[in-house]
Amino acid sequence: MNEFLEILTHGRRFKAAVKELSVEELRDLADKLNKILVERESMAEEEEQAMAARNAKIEEIRQQMEAVGLSIDDLGGTAVKATAKKRAPRPAKYQIEVNGEMVQWTGQGRMPTVFKNEINKGRSMEDFLI
């Protein structure tokens, strides 16, 4: 799609791309582009009208607040979305010493290789409980 837009927006490349089209085909193409243009213009106009109505309503509410003697600060400021609380990390449930270093595991997620190796040697997970 990017290449299409480059051809469409570049004068000489566009002219070369439509060189083989007849005049009637070019008129059809122009009509289609004009239809898209009219649709976009009407959408932009509708958005502009909606924004103007919104701004008018905001101004009306501001004037009402001013007449009553209220300010935005009286409303408690802007609404702030509560942030999700990060939960505390899970405590380790299993522990093993490998080459003088303690390796801990919560028991959730993928089992660390050192625990797998020990289980394959015949030990059980109860041996590693903290």
PDB file of all heavy atoms in Angstrom, residues 11-37:
ATOM      1  N   GLY A  11       3.801  13.219  -8.985  1.00  0.00           N
ATOM      2  CA  GLY A  11       3.240  13.615 -10.274  1.00  0.00           C
ATOM      3  C   GLY A  11       3.699  12.795 -11.458  1.00  0.00           C
ATOM      4  O   GLY A  11       2.886  12.240 -12.212  1.00  0.00           O
ATOM      5  N   ARG A  12       5.000  12.688 -11.653  1.00  0.00           N
ATOM      6  CA  ARG A  12       5.504  11.976 -12.826  1.00  0.00           C
ATOM      7  C   ARG A  12       5.240  10.483 -12.744  1.00  0.00           C
ATOM      8  O   ARG A  12       4.896   9.841 -13.736  1.00  0.00           O
ATOM      9  CB  ARG A  12       6.999  12.233 -13.007  1.00  0.00           C
ATOM     10  CG  ARG A  12       7.283  13.620 -13.582  1.00  0.00           C
ATOM     11  CD  ARG A  12       8.738  13.813 -13.795  1.00  0.00           C
ATOM     12  NE  ARG A  12       9.329  14.030 -12.463  1.00  0.00           N
ATOM     13  CZ  ARG A  12      10.598  14.256 -12.226  1.00  0.00           C
ATOM     14  NH1 ARG A  12      11.455  14.276 -13.206  1.00  0.00           N
ATOM     15  NH2 ARG A  12      11.031  14.455 -11.007  1.00  0.00           N
ATOM     16  N   ARG A  13       5.391   9.908 -11.539  1.00  0.00           N
ATOM     17  CA  ARG A  13       5.139   8.467 -11.388  1.00  0.00           C
ATOM     18  C   ARG A  13       3.667   8.159 -11.620  1.00  0.00           C
ATOM     19  O   ARG A  13       3.316   7.148 -12.217  1.00  0.00           O
ATOM     20  CB  ARG A  13       5.572   7.997 -10.003  1.00  0.00           C
ATOM     21  CG  ARG A  13       7.091   8.000  -9.833  1.00  0.00           C
ATOM     22  CD  ARG A  13       7.507   7.501  -8.500  1.00  0.00           C
ATOM     23  NE  ARG A  13       7.297   6.044  -8.444  1.00  0.00           N
ATOM     24  CZ  ARG A  13       7.477   5.316  -7.357  1.00  0.00           C
ATOM     25  NH1 ARG A  13       7.846   5.884  -6.235  1.00  0.00           N
ATOM     26  NH2 ARG A  13       7.267   4.020  -7.371  1.00  0.00           N
ATOM     27  N   PHE A  14       2.781   9.047 -11.161  1.00  0.00           N
ATOM     28  CA  PHE A  14       1.351   8.846 -11.363  1.00  0.00           C
ATOM     29  C   PHE A  14       1.018   8.940 -12.845  1.00  0.00           C
ATOM     30  O   PHE A  14       0.259   8.137 -13.386  1.00  0.00           O
ATOM     31  CB  PHE A  14       0.560   9.882 -10.555  1.00  0.00           C
ATOM     32  CG  PHE A  14      -0.919   9.730 -10.686  1.00  0.00           C
ATOM     33  CD1 PHE A  14      -1.574   8.634 -10.146  1.00  0.00           C
ATOM     34  CD2 PHE A  14      -1.674  10.674 -11.373  1.00  0.00           C
ATOM     35  CE1 PHE A  14      -2.944   8.485 -10.262  1.00  0.00           C
ATOM     36  CE2 PHE A  14      -3.044  10.529 -11.501  1.00  0.00           C
ATOM     37  CZ  PHE A  14      -3.678   9.428 -10.948  1.00  0.00           C
ATOM     38  N   LYS A  15       1.594   9.924 -13.511  1.00  0.00           N
ATOM     39  CA  LYS A  15       1.341  10.098 -14.945  1.00  0.00           C
ATOM     40  C   LYS A  15       1.803   8.871 -15.726  1.00  0.00           C
ATOM     41  O   LYS A  15       1.104   8.405 -16.631  1.00  0.00           O
ATOM     42  CB  LYS A  15       2.063  11.355 -15.443  1.00  0.00           C
ATOM     43  CG  LYS A  15       1.733  11.741 -16.856  1.00  0.00           C
ATOM     44  CD  LYS A  15       2.398  13.060 -17.226  1.00  0.00           C
ATOM     45  CE  LYS A  15       2.070  13.466 -18.648  1.00  0.00           C
ATOM     46  NZ  LYS A  15       2.703  14.730 -19.011  1.00  0.00           N
ATOM     47  N   ALA A  16       2.952   8.321 -15.361  1.00  0.00           N
ATOM     48  CA  ALA A  16       3.461   7.125 -16.038  1.00  0.00           C
ATOM     49  C   ALA A  16       2.574   5.917 -15.745  1.00  0.00           C
ATOM     50  O   ALA A  16       2.364   5.067 -16.615  1.00  0.00           O
ATOM     51  CB  ALA A  16       4.895   6.846 -15.594  1.00  0.00           C
ATOM     52  N   ALA A  17       2.026   5.824 -14.544  1.00  0.00           N
ATOM     53  CA  ALA A  17       1.200   4.680 -14.167  1.00  0.00           C
ATOM     54  C   ALA A  17      -0.140   4.678 -14.894  1.00  0.00           C
ATOM     55  O   ALA A  17      -0.680   3.616 -15.189  1.00  0.00           O
ATOM     56  CB  ALA A  17       0.978   4.674 -12.656  1.00  0.00           C
ATOM     57  N   VAL A  18      -0.684   5.860 -15.188  1.00  0.00           N
ATOM     58  CA  VAL A  18      -1.996   5.929 -15.840  1.00  0.00           C
ATOM     59  C   VAL A  18      -1.879   6.215 -17.341  1.00  0.00           C
ATOM     60  O   VAL A  18      -2.890   6.474 -17.996  1.00  0.00           O
ATOM     61  CB  VAL A  18      -2.891   6.999 -15.160  1.00  0.00           C
ATOM     62  CG1 VAL A  18      -3.163   6.639 -13.724  1.00  0.00           C
ATOM     63  CG2 VAL A  18      -2.298   8.379 -15.294  1.00  0.00           C
ATOM     64  N   LYS A  19      -0.682   6.130 -17.879  1.00  0.00           N
ATOM     65  CA  LYS A  19      -0.437   6.451 -19.282  1.00  0.00           C
ATOM     66  C   LYS A  19      -1.275   5.581 -20.222  1.00  0.00           C
ATOM     67  O   LYS A  19      -1.750   6.046 -21.249  1.00  0.00           O
ATOM     68  CB  LYS A  19       1.052   6.286 -19.590  1.00  0.00           C
ATOM     69  CG  LYS A  19       1.420   6.619 -21.023  1.00  0.00           C
ATOM     70  CD  LYS A  19       2.915   6.731 -21.258  1.00  0.00           C
ATOM     71  CE  LYS A  19       3.642   5.442 -21.002  1.00  0.00           C
ATOM     72  NZ  LYS A  19       5.041   5.491 -21.442  1.00  0.00           N
ATOM     73  N   GLU A  20      -1.500   4.332 -19.856  1.00  0.00           N
ATOM     74  CA  GLU A  20      -2.205   3.406 -20.741  1.00  0.00           C
ATOM     75  C   GLU A  20      -3.729   3.474 -20.583  1.00  0.00           C
ATOM     76  O   GLU A  20      -4.444   2.804 -21.319  1.00  0.00           O
ATOM     77  CB  GLU A  20      -1.709   1.987 -20.475  1.00  0.00           C
ATOM     78  CG  GLU A  20      -0.247   1.819 -20.809  1.00  0.00           C
ATOM     79  CD  GLU A  20       0.271   0.426 -20.493  1.00  0.00           C
ATOM     80  OE1 GLU A  20      -0.548  -0.448 -20.151  1.00  0.00           O
ATOM     81  OE2 GLU A  20       1.482   0.233 -20.578  1.00  0.00           O
ATOM     82  N   LEU A  21      -4.230   4.265 -19.651  1.00  0.00           N
ATOM     83  CA  LEU A  21      -5.671   4.374 -19.461  1.00  0.00           C
ATOM     84  C   LEU A  21      -6.275   5.310 -20.503  1.00  0.00           C
ATOM     85  O   LEU A  21      -5.659   6.296 -20.914  1.00  0.00           O
ATOM     86  CB  LEU A  21      -5.992   4.899 -18.067  1.00  0.00           C
ATOM     87  CG  LEU A  21      -5.618   4.011 -16.885  1.00  0.00           C
ATOM     88  CD1 LEU A  21      -5.967   4.706 -15.571  1.00  0.00           C
ATOM     89  CD2 LEU A  21      -6.308   2.671 -16.968  1.00  0.00           C
ATOM     90  N   SER A  22      -7.511   5.006 -20.895  1.00  0.00           N
ATOM     91  CA  SER A  22      -8.209   5.875 -21.841  1.00  0.00           C
ATOM     92  C   SER A  22      -8.742   7.100 -21.099  1.00  0.00           C
ATOM     93  O   SER A  22      -8.753   7.147 -19.869  1.00  0.00           O
ATOM     94  CB  SER A  22      -9.366   5.110 -22.493  1.00  0.00           C
ATOM     95  OG  SER A  22     -10.363   4.844 -21.529  1.00  0.00           O
ATOM     96  N   VAL A  23      -9.227   8.064 -21.864  1.00  0.00           N
ATOM     97  CA  VAL A  23      -9.765   9.285 -21.279  1.00  0.00           C
ATOM     98  C   VAL A  23     -10.987   8.948 -20.418  1.00  0.00           C
ATOM     99  O   VAL A  23     -11.159   9.494 -19.320  1.00  0.00           O
ATOM    100  CB  VAL A  23     -10.132  10.303 -22.384  1.00  0.00           C
ATOM    101  CG1 VAL A  23     -10.851  11.509 -21.815  1.00  0.00           C
ATOM    102  CG2 VAL A  23      -8.887  10.727 -23.134  1.00  0.00           C
ATOM    103  N   GLU A  24     -11.826   8.024 -20.901  1.00  0.00           N
ATOM    104  CA  GLU A  24     -13.016   7.634 -20.149  1.00  0.00           C
ATOM    105  C   GLU A  24     -12.624   6.973 -18.835  1.00  0.00           C
ATOM    106  O   GLU A  24     -13.220   7.242 -17.785  1.00  0.00           O
ATOM    107  CB  GLU A  24     -13.880   6.676 -20.990  1.00  0.00           C
ATOM    108  CG  GLU A  24     -15.214   6.353 -20.371  1.00  0.00           C
ATOM    109  CD  GLU A  24     -16.083   7.572 -20.128  1.00  0.00           C
ATOM    110  OE1 GLU A  24     -16.054   8.517 -20.951  1.00  0.00           O
ATOM    111  OE2 GLU A  24     -16.792   7.593 -19.110  1.00  0.00           O
ATOM    112  N   GLU A  25     -11.614   6.115 -18.843  1.00  0.00           N
ATOM    113  CA  GLU A  25     -11.141   5.464 -17.614  1.00  0.00           C
ATOM    114  C   GLU A  25     -10.566   6.492 -16.639  1.00  0.00           C
ATOM    115  O   GLU A  25     -10.758   6.395 -15.424  1.00  0.00           O
ATOM    116  CB  GLU A  25     -10.101   4.395 -17.939  1.00  0.00           C
ATOM    117  CG  GLU A  25     -10.684   3.192 -18.646  1.00  0.00           C
ATOM    118  CD  GLU A  25      -9.621   2.230 -19.152  1.00  0.00           C
ATOM    119  OE1 GLU A  25      -8.518   2.682 -19.529  1.00  0.00           O
ATOM    120  OE2 GLU A  25      -9.900   1.022 -19.174  1.00  0.00           O
ATOM    121  N   LEU A  26      -9.870   7.491 -17.162  1.00  0.00           N
ATOM    122  CA  LEU A  26      -9.339   8.554 -16.319  1.00  0.00           C
ATOM    123  C   LEU A  26     -10.461   9.373 -15.688  1.00  0.00           C
ATOM    124  O   LEU A  26     -10.360   9.771 -14.529  1.00  0.00           O
ATOM    125  CB  LEU A  26      -8.397   9.464 -17.117  1.00  0.00           C
ATOM    126  CG  LEU A  26      -7.033   8.880 -17.451  1.00  0.00           C
ATOM    127  CD1 LEU A  26      -6.279   9.807 -18.407  1.00  0.00           C
ATOM    128  CD2 LEU A  26      -6.228   8.677 -16.191  1.00  0.00           C
ATOM    129  N   ARG A  27     -11.528   9.621 -16.448  1.00  0.00           N
ATOM    130  CA  ARG A  27     -12.664  10.349 -15.891  1.00  0.00           C
ATOM    131  C   ARG A  27     -13.336   9.539 -14.779  1.00  0.00           C
ATOM    132  O   ARG A  27     -13.735  10.094 -13.756  1.00  0.00           O
ATOM    133  CB  ARG A  27     -13.671  10.682 -16.982  1.00  0.00           C
ATOM    134  CG  ARG A  27     -13.226  11.831 -17.840  1.00  0.00           C
ATOM    135  CD  ARG A  27     -14.379  12.426 -18.640  1.00  0.00           C
ATOM    136  NE  ARG A  27     -13.885  13.550 -19.393  1.00  0.00           N
ATOM    137  CZ  ARG A  27     -13.740  13.576 -20.706  1.00  0.00           C
ATOM    138  NH1 ARG A  27     -14.084  12.532 -21.434  1.00  0.00           N
ATOM    139  NH2 ARG A  27     -13.275  14.649 -21.306  1.00  0.00           N
ATOM    140  N   ASP A  28     -13.461   8.220 -14.982  1.00  0.00           N
ATOM    141  CA  ASP A  28     -14.024   7.365 -13.940  1.00  0.00           C
ATOM    142  C   ASP A  28     -13.162   7.417 -12.683  1.00  0.00           C
ATOM    143  O   ASP A  28     -13.675   7.501 -11.560  1.00  0.00           O
ATOM    144  CB  ASP A  28     -14.139   5.918 -14.426  1.00  0.00           C
ATOM    145  CG  ASP A  28     -15.240   5.713 -15.453  1.00  0.00           C
ATOM    146  OD1 ASP A  28     -16.134   6.586 -15.536  1.00  0.00           O
ATOM    147  OD2 ASP A  28     -15.215   4.685 -16.163  1.00  0.00           O
ATOM    148  N   LEU A  29     -11.867   7.375 -12.890  1.00  0.00           N
ATOM    149  CA  LEU A  29     -10.924   7.442 -11.764  1.00  0.00           C
ATOM    150  C   LEU A  29     -11.061   8.780 -11.039  1.00  0.00           C
ATOM    151  O   LEU A  29     -11.100   8.828  -9.803  1.00  0.00           O
ATOM    152  CB  LEU A  29      -9.490   7.242 -12.269  1.00  0.00           C
ATOM    153  CG  LEU A  29      -8.381   7.279 -11.243  1.00  0.00           C
ATOM    154  CD1 LEU A  29      -8.544   6.143 -10.245  1.00  0.00           C
ATOM    155  CD2 LEU A  29      -7.032   7.175 -11.933  1.00  0.00           C
ATOM    156  N   ALA A  30     -11.165   9.856 -11.805  1.00  0.00           N
ATOM    157  CA  ALA A  30     -11.319  11.182 -11.205  1.00  0.00           C
ATOM    158  C   ALA A  30     -12.630  11.277 -10.435  1.00  0.00           C
ATOM    159  O   ALA A  30     -12.678  11.859  -9.343  1.00  0.00           O
ATOM    160  CB  ALA A  30     -11.246  12.256 -12.291  1.00  0.00           C
ATOM    161  N   ASP A  31     -13.706  10.686 -10.971  1.00  0.00           N
ATOM    162  CA  ASP A  31     -14.996  10.695 -10.282  1.00  0.00           C
ATOM    163  C   ASP A  31     -14.900   9.952  -8.952  1.00  0.00           C
ATOM    164  O   ASP A  31     -15.438  10.403  -7.937  1.00  0.00           O
ATOM    165  CB  ASP A  31     -16.087  10.065 -11.150  1.00  0.00           C
ATOM    166  CG  ASP A  31     -16.464  10.938 -12.337  1.00  0.00           C
ATOM    167  OD1 ASP A  31     -16.163  12.153 -12.301  1.00  0.00           O
ATOM    168  OD2 ASP A  31     -17.052  10.389 -13.295  1.00  0.00           O
ATOM    169  N   LYS A  32     -14.226   8.817  -8.959  1.00  0.00           N
ATOM    170  CA  LYS A  32     -14.062   8.037  -7.723  1.00  0.00           C
ATOM    171  C   LYS A  32     -13.263   8.816  -6.688  1.00  0.00           C
ATOM    172  O   LYS A  32     -13.612   8.841  -5.506  1.00  0.00           O
ATOM    173  CB  LYS A  32     -13.387   6.700  -8.021  1.00  0.00           C
ATOM    174  CG  LYS A  32     -14.271   5.747  -8.782  1.00  0.00           C
ATOM    175  CD  LYS A  32     -13.545   4.467  -9.143  1.00  0.00           C
ATOM    176  CE  LYS A  32     -14.437   3.562  -9.986  1.00  0.00           C
ATOM    177  NZ  LYS A  32     -13.746   2.348 -10.416  1.00  0.00           N
ATOM    178  N   LEU A  33     -12.198   9.470  -7.142  1.00  0.00           N
ATOM    179  CA  LEU A  33     -11.393  10.280  -6.219  1.00  0.00           C
ATOM    180  C   LEU A  33     -12.200  11.464  -5.686  1.00  0.00           C
ATOM    181  O   LEU A  33     -12.099  11.800  -4.497  1.00  0.00           O
ATOM    182  CB  LEU A  33     -10.114  10.760  -6.900  1.00  0.00           C
ATOM    183  CG  LEU A  33      -9.034   9.706  -7.113  1.00  0.00           C
ATOM    184  CD1 LEU A  33      -7.886  10.269  -7.951  1.00  0.00           C
ATOM    185  CD2 LEU A  33      -8.513   9.191  -5.790  1.00  0.00           C
ATOM    186  N   ASN A  34     -13.002  12.088  -6.535  1.00  0.00           N
ATOM    187  CA  ASN A  34     -13.841  13.207  -6.085  1.00  0.00           C
ATOM    188  C   ASN A  34     -14.870  12.741  -5.071  1.00  0.00           C
ATOM    189  O   ASN A  34     -15.167  13.454  -4.110  1.00  0.00           O
ATOM    190  CB  ASN A  34     -14.526  13.888  -7.271  1.00  0.00           C
ATOM    191  CG  ASN A  34     -13.575  14.803  -8.020  1.00  0.00           C
ATOM    192  OD1 ASN A  34     -12.637  15.337  -7.446  1.00  0.00           O
ATOM    193  ND2 ASN A  34     -13.825  14.963  -9.309  1.00  0.00           N
ATOM    194  N   LYS A  35     -15.438  11.558  -5.280  1.00  0.00           N
ATOM    195  CA  LYS A  35     -16.408  11.020  -4.332  1.00  0.00           C
ATOM    196  C   LYS A  35     -15.752  10.806  -2.969  1.00  0.00           C
ATOM    197  O   LYS A  35     -16.320  11.166  -1.927  1.00  0.00           O
ATOM    198  CB  LYS A  35     -16.965   9.694  -4.862  1.00  0.00           C
ATOM    199  CG  LYS A  35     -18.021   9.094  -3.993  1.00  0.00           C
ATOM    200  CD  LYS A  35     -18.549   7.795  -4.583  1.00  0.00           C
ATOM    201  CE  LYS A  35     -19.570   7.177  -3.652  1.00  0.00           C
ATOM    202  NZ  LYS A  35     -20.073   5.899  -4.171  1.00  0.00           N
ATOM    203  N   ILE A  36     -14.545  10.256  -2.962  1.00  0.00           N
ATOM    204  CA  ILE A  36     -13.811  10.059  -1.706  1.00  0.00           C
ATOM    205  C   ILE A  36     -13.514  11.399  -1.057  1.00  0.00           C
ATOM    206  O   ILE A  36     -13.658  11.572   0.158  1.00  0.00           O
ATOM    207  CB  ILE A  36     -12.510   9.266  -1.962  1.00  0.00           C
ATOM    208  CG1 ILE A  36     -12.841   7.837  -2.370  1.00  0.00           C
ATOM    209  CG2 ILE A  36     -11.605   9.281  -0.731  1.00  0.00           C
ATOM    210  CD1 ILE A  36     -11.637   7.039  -2.848  1.00  0.00           C
ATOM    211  N   LEU A  37     -13.143  12.373  -1.856  1.00  0.00           N
ATOM    212  CA  LEU A  37     -12.838  13.706  -1.345  1.00  0.00           C
ATOM    213  C   LEU A  37     -14.068  14.340  -0.696  1.00  0.00           C
ATOM    214  O   LEU A  37     -13.976  14.907   0.405  1.00  0.00           O
ATOM    215  CB  LEU A  37     -12.310  14.590  -2.479  1.00  0.00           C
ATOM    216  CG  LEU A  37     -11.907  16.011  -2.131  1.00  0.00           C
ATOM    217  CD1 LEU A  37     -10.762  15.998  -1.135  1.00  0.00           C
ATOM    218  CD2 LEU A  37     -11.509  16.769  -3.368  1.00  0.00           C
TER     219      LEU A  37
END
